[in-house]
């Protein structure tokens, strides 16, 4: 499995996320939706997270905000993206250890040419670092297991499996919450060990649905 590389929460759990403005890295983008995204009509912002107050007095207080105001507020709210960053820790050395479980707990370094490309925490705790010369690494840690990283196929394969698993998880959440195609998250790869999940529209859709449910319960 790939769960040692990236641990996904159980279905329905809240994913950790931060509101931030992050420049999109250049990479492959996957739209996690069954339907083809439908772009909004030109000049018509999508509604935001402001809901109408409950007639029974619950929910938000009475306000003079018009429907046009709600559209403007929603457009501003979506100018801040909700991005989940998955950075797979010690990715290359973990791929090596998964391929050979006898290496668990041992210092492992992935090499390219005459240097260390990366190493696991057991190796780091013994003083090894990225870009260290192999000769120096052997002097500092004679028991280090050196594995060639010249062939990137195993790492590409692991990266693709993790990408597919993350997309499958998001696809299940999209179906569970009834998220429309245009609000489905996008998954962008950066290198082999990083994924950027833009869940802005999905978060807004689910929040709006929860607010609508809450107001409906208050009115009842």
């Amino acid at each position: 499995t790939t769960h040692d590389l990236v641990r996904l929460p159980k279905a329905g759990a809240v994913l950790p996320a931060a509101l931030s403005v992050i420049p999109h890295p250049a990479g492959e983008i996957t739209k996690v939706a069954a339907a083809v995204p439908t772009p909004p009509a030109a000049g018509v912002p999508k509604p935001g997270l402001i809901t109408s107050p409950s007639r029974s007095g619950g929910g938000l207080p009475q306000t003079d905000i018009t429907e046009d105001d709600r559209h403007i507020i929603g457009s501003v709210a979506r100018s801040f993206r909700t991005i989940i960053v998955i950075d797979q820790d010690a990715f290359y050395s973990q791929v090596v250890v998964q391929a050979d479980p006898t290496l668990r707990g041992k210092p492992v370094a992935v090499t390219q040419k005459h240097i260390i490309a990366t190493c696991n925490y057991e190796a780091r705790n013994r003083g090894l670092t990225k870009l260290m010369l192999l000769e120096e690494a052997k002097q500092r840690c004679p028991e280090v297991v050196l594995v060639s990283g010249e062939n990137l196929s195993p790492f590409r394969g692991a990266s693709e499996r993790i990408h597919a698993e993350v997309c499958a998880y998001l696809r299940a959440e999209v179906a569970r919450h009834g998220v429309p195609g245009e609000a489905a998250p996008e998954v962008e790869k950066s290198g082999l060990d990083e994924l950027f999940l833009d869940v802005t529209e999905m978060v807004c859709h689910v929040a709006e649905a929860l607010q609508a449910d809450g107001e409906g319960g208050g009115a009842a």
Side-chain angles (χ1 to χ4, degrees):
T1 66
T2 58
H3 285 168
D4 284 346
L5 299 175
V6 53
R7 299 184 182 275
L8 295 176
K10 294 180 180 179
V14 177
L15 289 171
L19 280 175
S20 52
V21 180
I22 300 178
H24 277 223
E28 175 188 349
I29 300 178
T30 302
K31 187 75 172 180
V32 185
V36 177
T38 303
V44 180
K46 297 179 182 179
L49 298 181
I50 302 297
T51 59
S52 57
S54 169
R55 293 181 180 178
S56 65
L60 296 175
Q62 294 291 334
T63 176
D64 293 329
I65 295 178
T66 66
E67 191 62 26
D68 288 340
D69 292 333
R70 297 179 197 279
H71 288 172
I72 295 172
I73 292 171
S75 179
V76 172
R78 282 174 168 82
S79 67
F80 294 93
R81 311 304 296 173
T82 303
I83 307 292
I84 300 172
V85 180
I86 299 179
D87 186 1
Q88 295 144 52
D89 197 24
F91 171 75
Y92 295 88
S93 54
Q94 283 208 66
V95 171
V96 169
V97 172
Q98 281 200 331
D100 184 0
T102 64
L103 297 178
R104 291 187 183 278
K106 299 179 181 179
V108 176
V110 179
T111 68
Q112 288 186 342
K113 304 300 182 183
H114 57 283
I115 62 172
I116 290 178
T118 187
C119 55
N120 63 4
Y121 282 98
E122 288 80 1
R124 297 177 196 181
N125 291 338
R126 290 167 171 80
L128 272 60
T129 61
K130 184 184 296 186
L131 303 183
M132 179 179 286
L133 293 174
L134 297 184
E135 183 178 353
E136 181 182 355
K138 292 176 183 177
Q139 291 176 350
R140 291 197 182 190
C141 182
E143 67 274 25
V144 64
V145 179
L146 301 176
V147 180
S148 174
E150 296 290 340
N151 179 14
L152 294 178
S153 296
F155 309 111
R156 291 194 180 107
S159 177
E160 289 301 323
R161 290 194 298 273
I162 293 170
H163 177 263
E165 188 166 341
V166 169
C167 288
Y169 175 85
L170 289 175
R171 199 170 289 114
E173 289 298 292
V174 164
R176 189 172 74 88
H177 291 288
V179 178
E182 64 270 16
E186 292 182 347
V187 179
E188 183 170 351
K189 292 180 65 176
S190 177
L192 296 180
D193 61 344
E194 285 188 337
L195 295 172
F196 291 78
L197 285 58
D198 187 341
V199 296
T200 306
E201 297 297 336
M202 181 176 177
V203 168
C204 290
H205 173 83
V206 173
E208 289 165 353
L210 290 174
Q211 286 186 339
D213 288 344
E215 287 194 349

